[in-house]
Amino acid sequence: MTEVSMLVNGRTVSGAVEGRTLLVQFLRETLGLTGTHVGCDTSQCGACTVHMDGRSVKSCSILAVQAEGSEIRTIEGLAEGNALHPVQAAFKEHHGLQCGFCTPGMIMAATDMIRRHPEGLDEATVRAELEGNICRCTGYHNIVKAILAAAETMGDGEAQAA
Amino acid sequence: MYEVNYHRAGSLDEALKLLADADDGKLIAGGQTLIPAMKTRLAAPSDLIDLRHIAELTGIAVAGRTVTIGDPHVRHMGTIGGSLANNDPAADYPAAMLALAATIVTNAREIAAADFFTGLFETALEEDEIITAVRFDAPERAGYGKFPNPASRYAMTGVFVALDGKTVRAAVTGAGDDGVFRSGELETALVTDFSPSALDGVSVPDDALMTDIHASAAYRASLIVAMAKRAVTMANG
């Protein structure tokens, strides 16, 4: 067993893991952060998407020891108290989900996508960028609408702040 | 996944020593192929040597056009070196390296892309050799056309074309029995006229192409021409 330590949602956490422990197992089983889901377990569905050092990664394809010393953000770390993150609010407003299983990964992917496209997003870009996130219910339509709406809200917010 | 010992190397020398000391060590960079292979127990190394924190291996400067490949969450972790060393017959980067006539630089030597890819999941790399960089001249024009498998998003056929002066190179991935290869038929058609219509009526032999549950060799031969047209359109765009 190896002791690992990392910053998760702004809090320093540590725990003993095996070499083969996946980051998603550490998050869910050691830290109890079960918002991050395991969908396919074959690296394709993206339900386990979290941010590592600010960029979206699949936590089922990374060992916990590889994340040693890094900064992790999960779906639990997005809202500010009771105020939903703009992407979470947009998914609620536009009903960007049905069963909800893929939603944490979709939202973590969307927040990273919006960050990487400060020039704004269009539908084709959003659909292309969602290549690594699979939804089996919605047909993606409302997910795309929610991401476009959130990108607009967040862009406006930055413009006002500037 | 079987139990594995993890080591984080701080330098190339340390990585080489850790690799030499391990029973059955594997180098890991992004791990976007190796970790899934270990989860299904297709790979079971005794030790993993992590290259992600070696300063000498970062900062590859690539000039020229940007090629967008696949899933962003995988791209954030995956590395070009890892993809080349693994040489999956359906990976994207081997086609790019071959069409760009790239040089693969290792801790020991420099290898031309044409000599590097030697078969399915096989390369010219020795057991104790680590890719440290890739180098190529940005071509005048280049493009990539890919027909992704609907589930895995790996190339069922991908064609990378590059035009440089009077030279055209067209490399095909996802289709060959022995992995990535250059297509003389495509290159001959494109060298006189670098346009999608130059490929009308061109046919590629299917005797050395893969047949599997996803596609027959004949279908892949047809995809090669169709994806080459898309690649040329992208290059000319």
Side-chain angles (χ1 to χ4, degrees):
Chain A
M1 301 287 270
T2 313
E3 190 74 10
V4 292
S5 156
M6 60 191 85
L7 198 65
V8 177
N9 298 332
R11 198 164 57 92
T12 303
V13 298
S14 53
V17 297
E18 290 186 297
R20 61 181 162 181
T21 304
L22 298 167
L23 177 59
V24 69
Q25 290 174 301
F26 180 68
L27 293 172
R28 290 178 55 89
E29 293 163 25
T30 307
L31 303 182
L33 294 172
T34 53
T36 301
H37 291 168
V38 178
C40 67
D41 213 24
T42 55
S43 320
Q44 287 160 7
C45 81
C48 67
T49 304
V50 301
H51 296 176
M52 181 160 88
D53 296 326
R55 300 203 285 181
S56 58
V57 296
K58 291 182 174 176
S59 61
C60 81
S61 301
I62 300 171
L63 301 173
V65 282
Q66 284 177 284
E68 157 72 27
S70 67
E71 191 180 334
I72 303 291
R73 187 169 296 275
T74 70
I75 189 71
E76 290 93 342
L78 277 189
E80 300 266 358
N82 287 328
L84 291 179
H85 184 278
V87 177
Q88 292 174 307
F91 269 69
K92 184 178 173 211
E93 176 65 24
H94 295 273
H95 198 60
L97 65 149
Q98 283 182 29
C99 85
F101 195 87
C102 72
T103 312
M106 287 286 177
I107 288 177
M108 298 313 285
T111 51
D112 182 56
M113 189 192 307
I114 292 167
R115 174 190 66 79
R116 284 183 288 103
H117 292 277
E119 76 284 6
L121 284 166
D122 57 31
E123 183 179 340
T125 307
V126 173
R127 287 186 183 273
E129 290 263 343
L130 284 181
E131 163 136 345
N133 294 82
I134 294 174
C135 170
R136 292 282 86 136
C137 310
T138 65
Y140 303 94
H141 193 66
N142 285 358
I143 293 173
V144 174
K145 273 208 297 204
I147 295 172
L148 287 171
E152 202 145 304
T153 310
M154 291 167 76
D156 285 352
E158 272 173 33
Q160 281 162 14
Chain B
M1 195 186 299
Y2 290 112
E3 183 51 282
V4 64
N5 300 307
Y6 170 88
H7 313 272
R8 185 177 286 191
S11 69
L12 210 49
D13 286 343
E14 191 188 354
L16 288 165
K17 183 172 185 323
L18 286 164
L19 186 61
D21 290 348
D23 268 349
D24 179 17
K26 272 271 185 206
L27 302 167
I28 181 167
Q32 299 301 287
T33 301
L34 184 55
I35 299 279
M38 288 171 66
K39 285 166 71 175
T40 54
R41 297 185 171 178
L42 288 170
S46 64
D47 296 77
L48 286 178
I49 296 114
D50 192 345
L51 304 177
R52 274 178 67 235
H53 302 272
I54 300 179
E56 299 147 86
L57 299 185
T58 61
I60 295 171
V62 178
R65 290 175 178 239
T66 307
V67 178
T68 302
I69 298 171
D71 170 355
H73 325 313
V74 169
R75 285 209 313 275
H76 287 161
M77 287 299 290
T79 66
I80 294 180
S83 171
L84 300 182
N86 189 50
N87 194 19
D88 187 302
D92 300 302
Y93 283 124
M97 294 299 108
L98 204 53
L100 295 169
T103 302
I104 289 74
V105 184
T106 77
N107 56 308
R109 58 185 167 144
E110 300 196 346
I111 309 168
D115 303 322
F116 183 82
F117 305 105
T118 55
L120 301 182
F121 298 102
E122 283 183 20
T123 69
L125 289 172
E126 300 293 336
E127 289 291 325
D128 58 350
E129 212 171 355
I130 299 177
I131 296 175
T132 56
V134 297
R135 192 176 63 226
F136 56 87
D137 293 331
E140 269 170 56
R141 299 183 213 166
Y144 185 56
K146 171 176 175 176
F147 190 92
N149 178 300
S152 75
R153 316 308 285 174
Y154 271 86
M156 259 163 67
T157 288
V159 179
F160 196 106
V161 296
L163 171 70
D164 215 1
K166 290 188 171 141
T167 308
V168 170
R169 278 182 296 268
V172 179
T173 187
D177 258 343
D178 276 328
V180 67
F181 67 95
R182 277 174 66 183
S183 165
E185 291 80 10
L186 298 179
E187 293 178 0
T188 306
L190 291 170
V191 77
T192 46
D193 176 14
F194 194 75
S195 74
S197 59
L199 294 166
D200 287 339
V202 169
S203 74
V204 174
D206 66 8
D207 47 345
L209 300 184
M210 273 192 284
T211 289
D212 57 20
I213 57 165
H214 308 299
S216 66
Y219 182 54
R220 281 193 164 90
S222 155
L223 278 178
I224 288 172
V225 178
M227 292 307 109
K229 287 183 178 181
R230 285 191 196 172
V232 173
T233 303
M234 183 200 269
N236 290 342

